[in-house]
Structure formats: C-alpha cells, structure tokens
Amino acid sequence: MEEKIIELLKDKQEYLSGEELSGTLKVSRQALWKHINFLRELGYDIAAVPHLGYRLISVPDRLYDFQVYQGLKTKSLGRKIIYFDSLSSTMDMATQLALKGAKEGTVVLAETQTKGRGRLGRIWYSPKYKGLYFSLILRPKISLDKASIITLLVGVSICEAIKELLGLDLQIKWPNDILMYNKKLGGILTEIKAEVDEVNFIIIGVGLNVNNDSKSLISGSTSLKENKNEQLSRLNILQEVLYRLEVNYQILEKNGTKPIIDKWRQYAITLGRRVKVYSHKEHLEGEAFDIDSDGGLLIRNDSGITQKVIAGDVVHCR
Ligand code: BTN
C-alpha cells in the first residue's frame, strides 16, 4: 500500500485529492490517513491541505523495501527485501533465513551493522545511511568447486552498475576487493552452505562505500561521494547492482563460466602482476598470470611452476 501511495504521489507531482487517492487504492479515507501518517513516520514529507489533498514534498534517503521495488528491473533478485534499520550483520540474518528455506533472490539489507564483517575476520565499518550493506541468497545449481565464480560475478556486476550509473571505472583485486584509484571502495563476502559436492545455498554479502565523507573513511579506503563530489542515490545504485547481478547470473546459468571470466578480466588489476598470496595453508609468491574456469588465481612462481589459489589474501608487490 505504501509503495502505491508514493508511486501515485510521485506521478502526480502536485496535490492529489484524498477522494481520488482512496478511490484508486480502494481504501477508506480513514485508512488512507493512517497510511499517510505511517509514511510520515518513516521520514516522507507529505503535505496535506484541506480541499486540495496530499502532495509529496520529499523522500527520505532510506532503502525501504517498497522504495527498492519501485523501478527495480529484476525478475527475481531483490524481489523480496528484508529491511533493517540496524542489524549485527546481514550475513547472519540471511543465513538463518536461507536455512529456513528463504527463496533465491531474497535480500537482507541494513542501514547500519554493529558487527559487519569482512573476509578473514576483519571488521566491515557500516556507518548509518552512508553505504550499501546487504546479503543476497542464491541457490545456484553448481558444484562446490565452481562456487568461487559467484564472487567474481558479483564483482563484475558492481563494476558494470557503477560504470553505467556514474561513469566511473572501478577495478577488482582478486578475489573480492572493489577498488577505485587503488583504494578500497567495496568488498564481497561469500559464505557457502554445501553438502558433499553440491551447493545448498550461497550468501553473498556486499558492502559498498557510497556517501561516506573523507573523514569517516578508514585509511586506504574511498567512497563514491569522495570521487563524484556529490551525494549519490544509494537506492539507484542498489537497484542497478541487483539488475546487473541478475543479468550476469542468467548468463552464468545459460553459458557457463567463460563469459563471466572474460568480463572479469576487463576489471582485474591483479593479473600480470607480481603478488604474494597468504592463505590459511601456505604463502605463495609469483606472477598472477590468469584465472582458471573456476575462478581460481593462477600463479607462476620463480621456478616457473604454476600453482592455483582458490582463497587467500593477495598483496600486489609492484
Ligand atoms: C571484504 O572486503 O572483506 C568483504 C566485506 C563484505 C561486507 C558486507 S556488508 C554486508 C554484509 N554483511 C557483513 O557483515 N558483511 C557483508
């Protein structure tokens, strides 16, 4: 109902009479009034003038589910948004929901996280109303050894969305860092529930610095606002990222990993560089010369031997 009211008021751009609104929505004037007040509590500025009706003055910078649905171009991803003003981590909530059978495409989104986490136990700072912090539930029909392609697919989708909306060129540092001018703009956290060889579900966590001011950014990181010098619509960015994710996910389902890897190469700054990789098993050093069809990083060490890394922390040497 809220979604519809906002849509009608947005379309009209001037006063819309209570009679017309309640008639279109098929609710009583009293019920309409309750919905208008609820929207006001959510931060919508709606003027009400006797004999004229209602007019939308301003929309809050929030990612309410019904706001996201409006103008969303996807068929399934993000069609169910579970919104929180604050949450410890969207990853935990998404995992709980997935275990209870939540549908593929469900998104858990928070305006801030008190225990946002990154890879390798790192903290993900999630200042309120500044960034995008969400987890997406996927149930891909792929084997466990192919699952890391999903992280690459998400990276590509973020880069494409930002290029399309803001004209900015982002880069990806294998496997999951989204960079801008060599500073960290965002990250992807992939958590998998699998049985033997079959993926049960994957939770994709995305953190993206959007409207963070320079002084609130940790060292080595950046935000879209810092580069565009203006406040940006987190809503439009979220919708475009979800759309790109869906398009690439369909490509993966239909055509396999190759088109995704080909796209990924365009954004990768790790390839062709000398790297050190720290994984829980070993430390490697050499030239990162390619990725294989599963998304693993191929490294040629100084003796000319090729080794494949599936997970780890990469440091670019020079
Ligand atoms: C990384 O760069 O190490 C990954 C960062 C992932 C952060 C996101 S924010 C939404 C989701 N919830 C979390 O607690 N983490 C991910």
Side-chain angles (χ1 to χ4, degrees), residues 209-221:
N209 300 330
V210 181
N211 286 323
N212 314 53
D213 297 308
S214 309
K215 58 180 185 317
S216 68
L217 287 163
I218 59 167
S219 121
S221 64

Side-chain angles (χ1 to χ4, degrees), residues 89-91 113 115-119 124 132-135 176-177 184 186-189 205-207:
S89 163
T90 58
M91 297 304 283
Q113 301 180 112
K115 284 196 181 131
R117 60 173 186 268
R119 283 193 326 133
W124 187 262
L132 287 179
Y133 322 111
F134 68 90
S135 297
N176 74 328
D177 285 348
K184 184 146 171 168
I188 303 155
L189 184 62
V206 173

